[in-house]
Amino acid sequence: MNKNKLWKLIFWLGPFFITAGLTVRLTSVNSGIIPLSLIIIGLVICALWVVQSKWWQKRSTQSATNALIATLSVLVILGLINFLGIRYNLRLDLTDTQLFTLAPQSRELVSNLPETMKVWLFSKEKNYQDQELLDNYHRQSNKFKFEYVDPELKPGLAERFGVKDYGEVYLEFQTKRQLVQIISEDERLSEIKLTNRLQQMINPKTAKVYFLQGHSEHPLSGSKGAISKAIQGLIDKNFTISTLNLAERPQVPDDANVVIVAGPQKELLTGEVTTLQNYLNRGGNLLLMIDPNTNPKIDTLLKEWGVRLDNRLAIDNSGESLQLGPATILVTEYGQHPITKDFANNISVYPLTRPLEIDPVSGVESMVLLKTKPYPNSWAESDQKSEKLEFNEDKDLKGPLTLGVALTRKLSNPTSINSPNPTSINSPNPTSINSPNPTSINSPNPTSINSPNPTSINSPNPTSINSPNPTSINSPNPTSINSPNPTSINSPNPTSINSPTTAKESRLVVFGNSNFVTDSLFEQQLNGDVFLNSVSWLSQQDEKLLSIRPKEPKNRRIIISTLQADVLTISAIFVLPLFGLTVGFLIWWKRR
């Protein structure tokens, strides 16, 4: 037996001793030093064989070693990538509507949860899409939890929530429980509904919004130019909606957090404008959306705030590539205001818009919300009847143009909008109601407030005290006039935000367009966010929730008829393969 064969036989003893040592160590409780000795002997024998055979000098050994090192390097790199992926979670959503990414409003809401909030899904099966959405919420905060429950396995829990059918989703916060929606195969869990319910449970207070009527404003529902989607958006955000006709009820109710004037086509009466001024003077909040080529006669109100309505029409040439007319403005520049600070360079759309001009006024702070692109992309056109719109240096105004502005004015003497002890108008010595041109209460023909049977201003049918010279309620300590509430569109007995509080400032938002909130445009890009954030800011609620709201996923399903489906089937099975065979045969025949 030669020396090489002897070393090969001895080498097999090395793996044998190593295996024996490991076996003894793993199977015996009190193995002592024996298994360690066997392992050491086996390792020594393997080392001697490697030195004697000069194994590392062979070309095959070098190739195998290089392959082993490369394999180990790849495994190490993959391990590091997985480690970094787990440690630093980075998700990239390439869908055009960011379908798998929470909206900024949802992230802000969940990140600031005061206490643990839990979602209960009463369903037998877990849907991947729903679970992915809930996981996205959970990633924002550990205080957000969710659990799937089979009602048949836990009937007591289902009975506690009042579950009646599979697919019901409930939200639980503190001692409150609320139904979010009922999910099914056709309707998955909605981020919009879940975020709205979260907001309502965290902040159960509501705010009252009045829409001014009587001047051909946009209808609230049911016809062309309606703003029903905007109304529903406010209701989802826990606002209570009512209408207000100042010709019938000549004062703004005390519970009004916001008054909205949405695209009036006819002029307001002088008394109505004065009533809105008085409302602002006592700490009210007003949203004006005024279209071009209309004159609602509110210049006196706007002048107090330093706002002027330009009668020209805003023109934007950048929309031509998107097949939009020059009078449709695409806004991508926003002011750093709570209403628009999170909008970045996203788009909002405004067809037929008038510019606004802002003048400085003492005590009024203003900030631009919407701005057009600089000239020559945009300008204000004075000749709207011309067939070809061109900039005229003498008559037109160069961009950038202001299309929306937010203003605030501090009150010199903060007044209680809903004071528990209002100054009685029926007192023996009535408080003088000071206006620039006050109507004397003791005038020859006033409605007698001090008569033995005075007309109650708080009666269901109050007698209007707005004579041709309307009385201004703009005193340092104004008289609280608690008119009855107009018919409420959405009044589920909410907790009103207008408890006895003191207003410290009044707010005004003005847009040179109202069409952007109509049903046909409300869900376009950021239009709905501009409107809802404006109302939320005016209501002086929590400004942390002023952000981009969740969007509904687009329905991209192709709906085809039976005939179209048959044509597609025949094309895929017969026409396309036959076409391929024919082309192949022709190429073969030509080469032959």
Side-chain angles (χ1 to χ4, degrees):
M1 183 180 294
N2 58 27
K3 187 176 180 181
N4 289 334
K5 289 183 178 180
L6 179 63
W7 273 109
K8 286 183 179 180
L9 292 174
I10 294 174
F11 164 73
W12 287 110
L13 292 174
F16 172 76
F17 283 128
I18 293 173
T19 303
L22 291 173
T23 303
V24 174
R25 179 69 182 85
L26 294 173
T27 58
S28 178
V29 178
N30 298 318
S31 57
I33 198 173
I34 295 176
L36 182 60
S37 301
L38 293 174
I39 293 173
I40 293 174
I41 293 172
L43 292 173
V44 170
I45 292 174
C46 290
L48 291 174
W49 181 83
V50 171
V51 173
Q52 188 276 336
S53 63
K54 298 181 180 180
W55 174 71
W56 66 88
Q57 295 180 355
K58 295 180 180 180
R59 181 175 296 179
S60 61
T61 302
Q62 293 176 357
S63 299
T65 303
N66 291 335
L68 179 63
I69 293 174
T71 304
L72 291 176
S73 300
V74 171
L75 293 175
V76 170
I77 293 172
L78 291 175
L80 288 174
I81 291 174
N82 278 276
F83 170 77
L84 294 175
I86 295 174
R87 186 72 178 271
Y88 306 100
N89 186 16
L90 178 63
R91 295 164 54 85
L92 185 61
D93 189 353
L94 299 179
T95 58
D96 61 341
T97 58
Q98 299 295 290
L99 182 60
F100 302 103
T101 303
L102 290 182
Q105 189 180 94
S106 300
R107 296 198 298 267
E108 184 73 26
L109 186 65
V110 177
S111 299
N112 295 282
L113 284 176
E115 298 180 29
T116 299
M117 180 170 286
K118 191 167 184 177
V119 176
W120 297 87
L121 300 95
F122 292 91
S123 175
K124 284 186 175 182
E125 299 179 355
K126 298 181 181 180
N127 180 271
Y128 171 78
Q129 183 178 336
D130 296 343
Q131 192 162 357
E132 180 69 18
L133 174 62
L134 294 169
D135 283 333
N136 285 340
Y137 278 96
H138 180 68
R139 291 188 187 99
Q140 304 301 319
S141 173
N142 290 328
K143 293 181 180 179
F144 182 92
K145 302 181 183 299
F146 65 93
E147 182 178 343
Y148 279 88
V149 177
D150 187 341
E152 292 183 355
L153 298 180
K154 295 184 178 180
L157 184 62
E159 184 179 356
R160 191 176 72 184
F161 279 85
V163 177
K164 298 179 180 178
D165 197 2
Y166 288 105
E168 293 185 7
V169 180
Y170 283 85
L171 194 60
E172 184 177 29
F173 178 67
Q174 296 175 341
T175 59
K176 296 176 287 186
R177 303 184 185 94
Q178 186 173 1
L179 176 66
V180 177
Q181 70 176 102
I182 301 177
I183 57 177
S184 62
E185 291 296 330
D186 298 328
E187 183 179 2
R188 303 316 314 169
L189 186 60
S190 168
E191 181 187 351
I192 293 179
K193 294 180 180 179
L194 184 54
T195 296
N196 287 336
R197 295 297 181 271
L198 282 171
Q199 182 176 345
Q200 291 172 9
M201 293 193 76
I202 294 174
N203 184 17
K205 295 180 180 179
T206 186
K208 193 71 172 287
V209 176
Y210 284 87
F211 281 82
L212 187 65
Q213 299 289 287
H215 316 90
S216 298
E217 292 89 353
H218 288 288
L220 302 189
S221 62
S223 60
K224 184 179 179 181
I227 55 175
S228 60
K229 292 183 179 179
I231 297 295
Q232 187 60 49
L234 291 174
I235 293 173
D236 290 341
K237 291 177 72 68
N238 219 23
F239 287 94
T240 303
I241 312 301
S242 293
T243 58
L244 175 64
N245 192 324
L246 293 179
E248 299 175 352
R249 202 174 302 276
Q251 63 273 327
V252 177
D254 288 329
D255 65 346
N257 295 95
V258 183
V259 174
I260 298 177
V261 183
Q265 301 299 308
K266 299 178 182 179
E267 62 184 55
L268 277 67
L269 299 175
T270 303
E272 293 178 302
V273 177
T274 303
T275 300
L276 293 178
Q277 287 177 291
N278 296 336
Y279 170 66
L280 288 172
N281 291 336
R282 71 175 196 257
N285 308 287
L286 182 63
L287 172 60
L288 297 174
M289 296 182 285
I290 311 299
D291 293 316
N293 302 319
T294 61
N295 185 11
K297 298 290 185 180
I298 57 172
D299 294 339
T300 54
L301 183 152
L302 293 175
K303 186 177 181 181
E304 294 180 357
W305 293 77
V307 180
R308 287 183 289 126
L309 299 174
D310 197 307
N311 291 322
R312 290 168 285 198
L313 182 68
I315 300 298
D316 184 2
N317 286 327
S318 61
E320 293 182 357
S321 60
L322 301 175
Q323 298 182 347
L324 298 174
T328 299
I329 311 297
L330 298 180
V331 173
T332 57
E333 296 185 27
Y334 305 92
Q336 290 301 310
H337 189 273
I339 295 175
T340 54
K341 63 182 177 64
D342 292 330
F343 288 1
N345 293 323
N346 293 308
I347 298 173
S348 53
V349 185
Y350 306 88
L352 299 177
T353 305
R354 71 193 311 164
L356 307 174
E357 297 182 43
I358 312 302
D359 299 322
V361 173
S362 177
V364 176
E365 297 181 3
S366 64
M367 182 172 290
V368 174
L369 297 178
L370 312 174
K371 187 183 295 185
T372 66
K373 298 179 179 62
Y375 178 82
N377 288 324
S378 72
W379 71 88
E381 177 65 46
S382 58
D383 187 7
Q384 302 178 25
K385 297 182 180 180
S386 175
E387 295 182 0
K388 187 176 182 180
L389 298 175
E390 294 180 345
F391 178 75
N392 190 318
E393 189 75 35
D394 298 332
K395 299 180 180 179
D396 300 337
L397 179 65
K398 291 183 178 181
L401 308 172
T402 298
L403 305 183
V405 63
L407 309 103
T408 59
R409 183 172 64 188
K410 300 292 183 183
L411 300 181
S412 56
N413 294 315
T415 47
S416 178
I417 296 179
N418 199 12
S419 173
N421 297 310
T423 304
S424 175
I425 297 182
N426 295 324
S427 61
N429 298 313
T431 303
S432 175
I433 302 178
N434 297 325
S435 66
N437 297 308
T439 302
S440 174
I441 299 183
N442 296 317
S443 61
N445 297 311
T447 301
S448 178
I449 300 181
N450 295 322
S451 62
N453 298 311
T455 302
S456 173
I457 299 183
N458 293 325
S459 64
N461 299 307
T463 302
S464 173
I465 62 172
N466 270 7
S467 59
N469 295 317
T471 304
S472 173
I473 312 172
N474 194 18
S475 64
N477 298 307
T479 303
S480 175
I481 301 180
N482 294 323
S483 65
N485 297 334
T487 304
S488 176
I489 295 176
N490 180 34
S491 55
N493 298 323
T495 304
S496 175
I497 228 172
N498 250 359
S499 56
T501 54
T502 301
K504 297 181 180 179
E505 68 179 17
S506 56
R507 295 180 176 182
L508 174 66
V509 173
V510 184
F511 292 110
N513 174 272
S514 67
N515 292 321
F516 77 98
V517 299
T518 57
D519 291 347
S520 60
L521 292 172
F522 183 77
E523 295 179 346
Q524 292 292 324
Q525 304 298 330
L526 294 181
N527 285 18
D529 298 290
V530 172
F531 174 76
L532 294 176
N533 281 6
S534 297
V535 178
S536 296
W537 179 76
L538 286 170
S539 67
Q540 304 192 33
Q541 297 188 84
D542 188 359
E543 293 184 0
K544 293 180 180 179
L545 300 178
L546 298 180
S547 187
I548 300 176
R549 63 198 176 100
K551 306 292 184 184
E552 288 286 6
K554 293 182 179 180
N555 183 4
R556 300 187 181 278
R557 290 176 293 182
I558 300 176
I559 300 175
I560 58 178
S561 64
T562 304
L563 177 61
Q564 292 172 327
D566 293 338
V567 170
L568 288 176
T569 302
I570 294 172
S571 300
I573 296 177
F574 299 106
V575 177
L576 292 179
L578 183 60
F579 176 76
L581 289 173
T582 304
V583 172
F585 175 77
L586 292 175
I587 294 174
W588 171 80
W589 182 264
K590 184 177 180 180
R591 289 181 177 178
R592 183 184 177 191

